[in-house]
Amino acid sequence: MTSLPAASSPTTLAGLVGRAAALRPDGEALIGLNRSFTWPEVHDRTARLAQLLVAGGVKKGERVAVLRPKGHESFEAVHAILQAGAIMVPLDPMAPAAAAAAVLADAGVIALVGHAETIKRAKPWDGNGPDLKLILATGSTESIQSDVAGSGISLVDINELANYPLPERLPVVTLDDPSYLIYTSGSTGTPKGILHTHSSGLAYARCAVEIHQLNQHDRLAAMTGLHFDMSTFELFAIPLAAGTIVEMSEPHLRFPASFTERAAEQRTTIWYGVTFLLQQILERGALETRDWSSLRSVLFAGEVFPAAALRALMEALPNTVFENVYGPAEVNASNVYRLTRPPADGESVPIGPGCGDAEMLVVDETEQPVPPGTKGVLWISASTRMREYWNRSDLTAASTRRREDGPDWYVSGDVVTKESDGTVWFHGRSDHQVKLRGIRVELEGVESTLADHPDILHAVAGPSGYRPGTLAATVVLRPGVHLDVRAIQKWSANRLPPVAIPAHIDVAETLPTTPSGKIDRKRIRIALAAAKETA
Amino acid sequence: MNDVLTMDADRELAAQLCAFIDSEVSLDPDTPVKPDTDLLTTGLVDSLGAMELVHFLEEHRNIDIDPVDVTIENFGTVNSMVALATRLTSTA
């Protein structure tokens, strides 16, 4: 049974906050770090912010980025952008300026909603945001006044939102309109934008509410960065259920004991996090010292949860239901598997059947369907699917298939088997994409970036055996050059997302080659993954 | 241990921590760390860097840091790490 009221179904993502405010006029929406906000308060604040965007010249379909530490203001910024009819582009507040600049330029971002200190680090002036004409900022806006002056960008201080008017009329938004554009690592080192619509985002929210039975009593511990696609759960599914979001700052996510302290104190009922973070919480979260009587459900995603660690976490939280959630950002979450017992050592957990209207097709190398239980590449058809890769019709075409008159399929690149009862098992990738701490990294992208370093001739990167959750690389240096690992890491910090900076780098004189004379990347990657610290 | 010696030892530990973060943890070559630099909101120390700092403190002061003490409050700045180490040293 779902707890969604049949009446007043929202028509687009832009209507989610207003509907929650009508359903729960006294209900807590966001528990911020310093104070909490009711749904009507959030509705009021997002509407004023949406009006500021419209008054600032933002038109329907234009891109507006969010650049600030996570918190109630980032949630409000997202919904204000949607209500203004613009396309929301979340940026990683911790990413180097060059990474933000690449997204601002590729997406053609017109306006930025953020926090002055975070914006100052990204330097969206100086040509880094070529289309930018408006910045709405909290924090000490005077600290960026001189940077903005003369750049042609208008700066509006939004610390006191109540001083600004409510909108008389906002653009009409329909289901077919694009809603958000989220960037992920690309195989050439250039990030690619995944464009979703109001329709695909709302379909995901409905699917999540139904399958996890989200309701008004749910209190979600917000465990993912805004720039990460898993955040659509807190941004869209929780408002649809008119539940409550307990905000966690980025430091809370890096200090498990601080996370568990707040999650327990705030009586959270549901967690949705990447496997890496949940393992950190298991190891360092002092779980045994807290009261978990409120926690009904833990959802994990991003990568395979090692059986021993998952079992230990389930035993530490014996009254909590565990669910494995799967889905590339291109289709939102498409599969859910509810565990009935902790896994035995070495036992895998399925990614489950498709949820909602999601259909799974497994094909062989000739793109023909394989029999149940046979390995192949997973194609997904679902109403939660993206529209396209932003300005990359080549990538969109390469990842889309149609069979006869059937639906469009998204080619996931994941190797799976599907049982006759619909249960899907994940076995790996058909390309060189890996997950590190839950974040997608294309190894070719890292390698081509490293090979741009003046000292490096060749580079091969792969998940590290030295320190799980990080990358290691083997490089061939130019003659006469000595390896300076820290120098390469610092150089990479301006070009790669933090998770993709190799934590370990070793040097080889030459690299092994395949019979056809290519660098045997597979062999080197196996060696990197098997490596152990010898010191 | 008298107070003057404690203060000297604390100052030394703070200097060692700053140097350690600059050379081994931080990826931002333009921002040398000071004892009161906010390490968390600036992103200077990520989840893996935090564990390196725990090990550094444990080895330099010969203490055990319980997971429940690895918090935002205790690791937000070099000064707060030194205060934690000193508290754990005196109760060891």
Side-chain angles (χ1 to χ4, degrees):
Chain A
M1 195 191 84
T2 157
S3 45
L4 254 191
S8 74
S9 190
T11 49
T12 68
L13 296 174
L16 284 175
V17 169
R19 177 177 164 278
L23 280 175
R24 279 186 79 199
D26 301 318
E28 283 180 311
L30 301 169
I31 312 293
L33 296 174
N34 302 314
R35 60 159 289 197
S36 62
F37 297 83
T38 64
W39 278 111
E41 281 176 306
V42 173
H43 185 37
D44 178 272
R45 291 169 55 85
T46 52
R48 291 176 201 272
L49 197 47
Q51 171 59 26
L52 276 172
L53 287 168
V54 172
V58 172
K59 305 219 165 29
K60 205 176 149 178
E62 290 187 326
R63 278 73 60 207
V64 179
V66 183
L67 180 56
R68 57 171 314 120
K70 241 173 94 68
H72 71 92
E73 294 108 327
S74 56
F75 179 93
E76 291 164 354
V78 167
H79 285 277
I81 294 165
L82 295 171
Q83 287 167 23
I87 302 174
M88 189 277 292
V89 185
L91 295 175
D92 178 359
M94 298 289 180
V103 172
L104 290 173
D106 187 71
V109 167
I110 291 286
L112 192 57
V113 187
H115 188 261
E117 280 78 359
T118 319
I119 294 170
K120 196 173 177 66
R121 280 207 305 278
K123 303 186 190 73
W125 34 85
D126 294 347
N128 279 348
D131 304 296
L132 201 62
K133 59 182 188 189
L134 175 67
I135 293 176
L136 308 182
T138 57
S140 54
T141 51
E142 62 277 12
S143 72
I144 54 173
Q145 204 115 47
S146 60
D147 298 304
V148 169
S151 68
I153 302 170
S154 316
L155 173 65
V156 181
D157 182 315
I158 54 167
N159 283 298
E160 296 299 332
L161 267 181
N163 293 345
Y164 295 101
L166 283 164
E168 282 175 17
R169 203 168 54 119
L170 290 170
V172 176
V173 178
T174 68
L175 278 175
D176 284 338
D177 289 329
S179 56
Y180 64 95
L181 178 56
I182 198 159
Y183 278 79
T184 180
S185 87
S187 55
T188 57
T190 314
K192 60 186 177 194
I194 295 167
L195 182 69
H196 276 276
T197 59
H198 282 265
S199 172
S200 63
L202 192 57
Y204 165 66
R206 288 210 168 95
C207 192
V209 166
E210 276 176 33
I211 201 143
H212 305 297
Q213 303 193 351
L214 303 179
N215 60 66
Q216 299 186 0
H217 305 292
D218 270 320
R219 296 168 68 85
L220 172 77
M223 299 171 79
T224 52
L226 196 65
H227 58 288
F228 193 30
D229 67 292
M230 282 168 70
S231 64
T232 51
F233 188 90
E234 71 185 76
L235 293 174
F236 307 141
I238 293 293
L240 182 62
T244 301
I245 297 161
V246 176
E247 296 291 353
M248 295 284 174
S249 67
E250 263 109 12
H252 278 100
L253 304 182
R254 282 178 276 145
F255 286 84
S258 295
F259 170 84
T260 59
E261 184 181 28
R262 181 163 164 83
E265 248 173 41
Q266 287 294 338
R267 312 284 302 157
T268 53
T269 67
I270 190 160
W271 297 356
Y272 181 31
V274 294
T275 303
F276 178 81
L277 180 55
L278 291 166
Q279 276 181 270
Q280 300 270 304
I281 288 168
L282 169 69
E283 286 161 25
R284 295 157 41 205
L287 283 169
E288 69 287 353
T289 65
R290 322 281 192 215
D291 170 11
W292 297 117
S293 54
S294 65
L295 186 64
R296 73 174 180 89
S297 197
V298 170
L299 321 179
F300 60 90
E303 59 202 310
V304 175
F305 209 139
L310 176 55
R311 190 172 66 234
L313 185 61
M314 290 179 77
E315 284 165 1
L317 300 169
N319 300 315
T320 304
V321 168
F322 280 71
E323 287 173 298
N324 186 14
V325 179
Y326 163 87
E330 285 85 347
V331 292
N332 276 298
S334 55
N335 298 59
V336 176
Y337 178 79
R338 181 169 299 189
L339 280 83
T340 50
R341 57 174 174 79
D345 267 349
E347 190 183 8
S348 357
V349 174
I351 56 178
C355 62
D357 64 358
E359 286 191 51
M360 309 286 136
L361 185 68
V362 186
V363 302
D364 63 17
E365 283 164 1
T366 65
E367 305 201 335
Q368 292 307 306
V370 299
T374 308
K375 276 188 191 176
V377 170
L378 176 63
W379 291 6
I380 302 167
S381 151
S383 54
T384 56
R385 193 170 62 96
M386 68 168 180
R387 171 171 293 169
E388 62 192 17
Y389 292 112
W390 179 254
N391 280 346
R392 291 300 303 269
S393 52
D394 56 331
L395 291 177
T396 307
S399 70
T400 309
R401 293 289 185 281
R402 183 172 289 178
R403 291 172 56 78
E404 287 134 23
D405 289 335
D408 277 348
W409 298 90
Y410 167 68
V411 179
S412 74
D414 285 338
V415 176
V416 303
T417 50
K418 185 175 144 184
E419 309 285 344
S420 35
D421 69 357
T423 303
V424 178
W425 299 76
F426 174 81
H427 299 290
R429 288 288 299 174
S430 62
D431 59 12
H432 304 299
Q433 183 193 102
V434 297
K435 289 281 186 82
L436 295 167
R437 298 180 238 167
I439 301 166
R440 273 158 61 160
V441 174
E442 308 271 358
L443 295 176
E444 292 104 318
V446 175
E447 290 166 351
S448 69
T449 301
L450 289 175
D452 285 341
H453 187 281
D455 291 351
I456 297 176
L457 285 174
H458 303 288
V460 180
S464 173
Y466 298 102
R467 198 160 67 173
T470 69
L471 270 192
T474 298
V475 297
V476 177
L477 298 173
R478 285 188 191 285
V481 171
H482 290 282
L483 176 70
D484 184 344
V485 172
R486 293 295 297 164
I488 294 173
Q489 288 172 334
K490 286 175 182 175
W491 180 89
S492 305
N494 287 322
R495 294 163 176 84
L496 292 169
V499 73
I501 299 166
H504 180 100
I505 300 176
D506 50 38
V507 176
E509 292 290 315
T510 57
L511 297 174
T513 51
T514 62
S516 64
K518 289 184 191 162
I519 294 172
D520 192 347
R521 293 178 187 271
K522 191 172 176 185
R523 189 163 142 203
I524 298 163
R525 287 183 185 133
I526 290 170
L528 289 171
K532 291 274 178 294
E533 209 75 66
T534 49
Chain B
M1 202 187 278
N2 70 40
D3 287 351
V4 176
L5 281 176
T6 310
M7 279 177 61
D8 280 350
D10 285 359
R11 250 198 299 274
E12 192 188 331
L13 180 63
Q16 288 169 334
L17 274 167
C18 289
F20 178 71
I21 294 168
D22 279 336
S23 69
E24 302 295 325
V25 182
S26 165
L27 288 172
D28 182 352
D30 302 330
T31 319
V33 168
K34 291 192 264 251
D36 61 350
T37 301
D38 177 349
L39 300 172
L40 303 179
T41 55
T42 51
L44 275 170
V45 176
D46 70 5
S47 54
L48 297 166
M51 286 318 291
E52 290 177 15
L53 289 166
V54 170
H55 294 145
F56 184 93
L57 287 172
E58 288 184 334
E59 279 177 21
H60 275 68
R61 280 286 170 94
N62 196 24
I63 51 177
D64 279 326
I65 299 177
D66 195 82
V68 85
D69 284 325
V70 183
T71 60
I72 296 170
E73 293 74 23
N74 290 336
F75 283 79
T77 62
V78 163
N79 280 338
S80 61
M81 284 181 239
V82 171
L84 170 72
T86 302
R87 194 169 75 240
L88 294 176
T89 310
S90 62
T91 57

